[in-house]
């Protein structure tokens, strides 16, 4: 999976156990990001809708959630991946913007991304393989980038992995059904059918995913936007339309409380952490005000994201600050009818700790 801020890799077993313990048959992952949690729900036999404002998330969801592995001819998929991987490199917008004007990828890999992405658009746009192939390219590019995990800056010295050759591996598809809904949660929440379980994992601070992962937006949209600054960000990063209310300290809490009131699910699960704008008490109150009979919370000690482990970097890759804390608390709030909340909490508290130590 791609490197992603706030990705719930370590909480996945807990959240999967929660879904199983309440007998969920339908679920929504409202801020799906990498789709990791939605994938775990699907693995447990739940029919999932994955939503996010990011277009790369929608592609990941079309691949892992909306595609039923049983409907895909894996031999054909492997043949197509092998053919795409053998295309001659051809430097274009991606190479110029992210390998010459900036140094996010080695030019040899940039030229292969250009060639593969052009072929996907020309030959596979209407194929059911399209999101799978594009996911393979996205994951392949992520494995050879030269960043600390966000695309606001590239490293001054090439990351060792950047000199590896881009590989197109087959994504691990899942059997089952699901759906993708691309859009702003403040709007999509009203379009969703009522479900057994809704999981909400909103952004935690002012750092926008649209700018942190602008290269994935561009790779998926393939729209060659005007770029600005050292990181060659998309010019529409300056538009209001690409901003999220959940990245605004002033607007986040009321907007999230409003979202909780509109979320139509028997059980609502929220993850958040202890460094963010809404305190645990406020979150419990917002969930109670949304009409849930019972609200409880679990806290998990968690390692902070990888960028924070190694320091704070300037756009030129110079270390400009030290990280003060390397651990934080991940909160998981569970809200719903008492018997379901009881079941979820007793199962989740006995799930093995998500992080060693
Ligand atoms: C903490 S991350 C979710 C991580 C995800 N649970 C995972 O494990 O990969 C928050 C997500 O919220 C999305 N997001 C931000 N603002 C949004 C909005 N207004 N509507 C929908 N999604 C939004 C971001 O694109 C990002 O993927």
């Amino acid at each position: 999976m791609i490197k992603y801020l706030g990705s719930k890799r370590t909480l996945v077993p807990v959240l999967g156990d929660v879904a199983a313990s309440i007998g969920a048959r339908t679920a929504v992952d409202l801020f799906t990001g990498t789709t990791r949690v939605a994938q775990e729900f699907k693995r447990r036999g739940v029919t999932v809708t994955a939503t996010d404002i990011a277009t790369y998330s929608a592609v990941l969801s079309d691949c892992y959630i909306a595609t039923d592995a049983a409907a895909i001819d894996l031999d054909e998929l492997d043949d197509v991946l092998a053919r795409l991987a053998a295309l001659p490199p051809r430097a274009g917008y991606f190479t110029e913007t992210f390998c010459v004007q900036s140094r996010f990828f080695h030019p040899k890999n940039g030229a292969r991304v250009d060639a593969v992405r052009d072929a996907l658009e020309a030959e596979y746009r209407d194929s059911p393989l399209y999101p799978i192939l594009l996911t393979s390219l996205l994951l392949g590019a992520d494995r050879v980038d030269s960043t600390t995990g966000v695309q606001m800056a590239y490293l001054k010295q090439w990351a060792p992995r950047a000199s590896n050759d881009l590989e197109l591996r087959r994504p691990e598809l899942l059997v089952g059904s699901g759906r993708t809904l691309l859009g702003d949660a403040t709007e999509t929440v009203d379009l969703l059918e009522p479900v057994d379980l809704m999981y909400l994992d909103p952004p935690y601070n002012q750092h926008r995913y649209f700018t942190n992962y602008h290269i994935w937006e561009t790779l998926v949209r393939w729209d060659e936007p005007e770029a600005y600054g050292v990181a060659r960000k998309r010019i529409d990063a300056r538009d209001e339309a690409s901003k999220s209310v959940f990245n605004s300290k002033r607007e986040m809490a009321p907007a999230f409380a409003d979202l909780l009131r509109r979320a139509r699910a028997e059980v609502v699960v929220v993850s958040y952490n202890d460094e963010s704008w809404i305190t645990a008490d406020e979150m419990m109150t917002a969930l109670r005000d949304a009409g849930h009979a019972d609200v409880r919370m679990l806290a998990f000690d968690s390692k902070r994201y990888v960028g924070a482990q190694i320091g704070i970097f300037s756009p030129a890759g110079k270390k400009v600050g030290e990280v003060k804390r390397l651990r934080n608390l991940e909160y998981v709030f569970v809200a719903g009818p008492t018997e379901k909340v009881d079941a979820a909490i007793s199962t989740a508290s006995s799930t093995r700790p998500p992080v060693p130590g």
Side-chain angles (χ1 to χ4, degrees):
M1 196 37 76
I2 54 171
K3 298 181 280 300
Y4 206 60
L5 279 184
S7 180
K8 291 297 164 296
R9 186 174 58 84
T10 54
L11 280 183
V12 159
V14 176
L15 297 168
D17 286 353
V18 166
S21 69
I22 62 161
R25 297 163 64 93
T26 53
V28 167
D29 181 4
L30 196 66
F31 297 86
T32 196
T34 60
T35 74
R36 235 181 237 295
V37 176
Q39 287 182 43
E40 182 62 18
F41 291 160
K42 187 176 173 186
R43 245 178 242 117
R44 308 240 185 176
V46 180
T47 299
V48 193
T49 301
T51 86
D52 201 286
I53 202 168
T55 52
Y56 53 81
S57 279
V59 166
L60 296 172
S61 172
D62 281 345
C63 170
Y64 292 109
I65 307 304
T67 298
D68 183 351
I72 298 295
D73 179 338
L74 296 183
D75 292 335
E76 182 198 353
L77 175 57
D78 288 345
D79 287 348
V80 175
L81 285 170
R83 193 181 77 73
L84 291 171
L87 288 175
R90 198 176 61 214
Y93 174 91
F94 192 92
T95 311
E96 173 59 29
T97 312
F98 302 123
C99 311
V100 177
Q101 295 172 9
S102 57
R103 295 201 314 156
F104 286 100
F105 301 91
H106 198 285
K108 70 171 180 177
N109 285 323
R112 291 192 55 218
V113 170
D114 270 314
V116 173
R117 188 64 188 85
D118 279 341
L120 287 187
E121 215 50 36
E123 299 169 42
Y124 294 95
R125 195 70 187 86
D126 300 320
S127 159
L129 297 185
Y130 180 81
I132 309 172
L133 301 172
L134 189 44
T135 294
S136 174
L137 180 61
L138 196 60
L139 268 57
D142 184 62
R143 283 191 296 269
V144 295
D145 74 343
S146 190
T147 71
T148 58
V150 290
Q151 297 167 348
M152 295 297 281
Y154 47 90
L155 297 176
K156 194 171 175 198
Q157 306 292 336
W158 285 109
R161 64 174 176 270
S163 56
N164 295 342
D165 288 334
L166 177 86
E167 280 180 51
L168 296 183
R169 300 182 191 161
R170 186 212 295 161
E172 281 184 35
L173 301 177
L174 301 170
V175 172
S177 59
R179 185 164 83 99
T180 303
L181 188 57
L182 170 64
D184 191 318
T186 59
E187 292 164 16
T188 54
V189 72
D190 296 326
L191 306 176
L192 298 161
E193 295 292 314
V195 283
D196 299 334
L197 170 65
M198 189 177 293
Y199 171 60
L200 297 91
D201 182 25
Y204 294 174
N205 54 35
Q206 74 280 13
H207 300 299
R208 296 162 58 204
Y209 285 82
F210 194 83
T211 44
N212 271 329
Y213 299 102
H214 64 96
I215 301 178
W216 299 152
E217 280 292 330
T218 295
L219 180 58
V220 165
R221 297 184 189 203
W222 211 230
D223 54 355
E224 306 194 357
E226 185 185 330
Y228 71 94
V230 178
R232 311 312 290 145
K233 284 180 283 191
R234 303 172 57 88
I235 194 78
D236 54 1
R238 292 175 168 160
D239 296 350
E240 279 308 307
S242 68
K243 298 193 173 148
S244 167
V245 74
F246 302 110
N247 292 125
S248 154
K249 186 171 185 183
R250 194 172 48 81
E251 295 168 293
M252 163 72 192
F256 195 67
D258 181 51
L259 201 61
L260 291 175
R261 278 192 293 275
R262 289 153 62 201
R264 291 183 297 158
E266 187 182 29
V267 174
V268 166
V269 173
V270 177
S271 51
Y272 210 54
N273 75 14
D274 66 338
E275 299 180 317
S276 312
W277 293 327
I278 304 180
T279 64
D281 281 346
E282 286 164 350
M283 189 67 88
M284 305 271 289
T285 304
L287 282 160
R288 265 186 226 105
D289 289 350
H292 296 288
D294 204 342
V295 181
R296 270 173 275 165
M297 181 188 102
L298 293 165
F300 297 94
D301 184 17
S302 158
K303 259 186 160 170
R304 298 184 76 202
Y305 68 90
V306 65
Q309 303 272 343
I310 36 193
I312 298 168
F313 292 86
S314 72
K318 189 160 170 267
K319 199 164 176 181
V320 291
E322 287 301 327
V323 173
K324 309 231 167 23
R325 298 172 58 189
L326 286 181
R327 301 191 82 86
N328 63 4
L329 285 182
E330 284 291 347
Y331 296 138
V332 175
F333 301 87
V334 183
T338 300
E339 70 280 7
K340 299 265 169 164
V341 175
D342 270 345
I345 293 287
S346 63
T347 310
S349 3
S350 60
T351 308
R352 69 180 185 285
V355 176

